[in-house]
Amino acid sequence: MKADRIHNFNAGPAALPLPVLEEIQASFLNFAGSGMSITEVSHRSKWFDDVINDAVTRVKRILALDDRYHVLFLQGGASLQFCMVPMNLLGAGDSADYVNTGTWSTKAVKEATIQGKSVNVVASSEDRNFAYIPRSIAFSRDAVFAHITSNNTIKGTQWAEFPDTGGVPIVSDMSSDIFCRPLPMEKFGLIYAGAQKNMGPAGVCLVIIRDDLMARTPGDIPTMLRYTTYAEKNSMFNTPPCFAVYTVQLVLKWLEETIGGLDKMAELNRKKAGLLYDYMDRSDFYRGTADKDSRSLMNVTFRLPSEELEKAFVAEALENGLGGLKGHRSVGGCRASIYNPTPLAAVEALLDFMRTFERRKG
Ligand SMILES: Cc1ncc(COP(=O)(O)O)c(C=O)c1O
């Protein structure tokens, strides 16, 4: 076992802010004077009520949500949302637009299609292995929603700006970039995000849904698959993932009180990603895989001149205390996931290592 913590560039589950981990550790055996850990208190207790209510309040404040938006905590990950979104929002005769920008969008389309829902894939970047975000998309004016994946964790691309859908509400999978920057909420009808990248541990999925879309939820689908079930019971129709919600609450507190909110977070994220991309652009050794105008602030994907060098890079990086730099198994190469909690110092340490490795092997 390592004596010290490493710089963690895992894609998810991913690094959490150290002060949050320390707070969990310090309060673990006796949470808020309860004489129990957070994993032992009842979800029907005042202790947990305070946790979930504070988490909801913080989400609303951080994103400046108006009263039309509901903040829900669900289980089943973002993958269950691929199924619940069309199940709840598309009735007979309805259709939705989907933009396919990679593995996760493809799965979202699949889960809508297998329910027999009417789905139009209005744009795709599959022709160039999902290396870019499509532009100038003709969205359907009569679609119930337009689905996008705001950040493509595997391919390292991200929507720099959200598309003009002509007023059709955007539904976005933000699993890997929620809270990385301020959002133009007037464009969004529903946002979902598995917590385990930018927000907390695995086990909880945040859903933000606007009244008009929630009103579409049919009464004849299973209770646990209806958004209304969660909205009516403050996400506690059944036992919620208490520990995961608690950790999310602490991460949101850190985002507001230590970082200073989304503008500050975005500035820091641009700085971190900029350091890596600028260096790669000046190097003949490292090659970014995403088009420049589509690059992700969260997942920096790159190749080295050969697969042998990539293997050596990942292994030697780990020996130097830099973990999780292997690309997704479906695409190979290397990937540095630098979500909100990744400190600037970790990126600087990676940059140092990249320079040294290039000098030795380039
Ligand atoms: C963008 C995106 N969507 C969905 C998923 C799937 O999330 P979950 O494992 O929470 O179902 C992931 C996981 O990596 C992801 O990166």
Side-chain angles (χ1 to χ4, degrees), residues 42-57:
S42 166
H43 63 293
R44 306 284 176 210
S45 65
K46 169 164 171 5
W47 293 294
F48 189 71
D49 260 347
D50 288 349
V51 166
I52 198 163
N53 290 340
D54 188 60
V56 169
T57 304

Side-chain angles (χ1 to χ4, degrees), residues 17 85 233 310:
V85 164
K233 301 281 183 189
E310 287 168 352

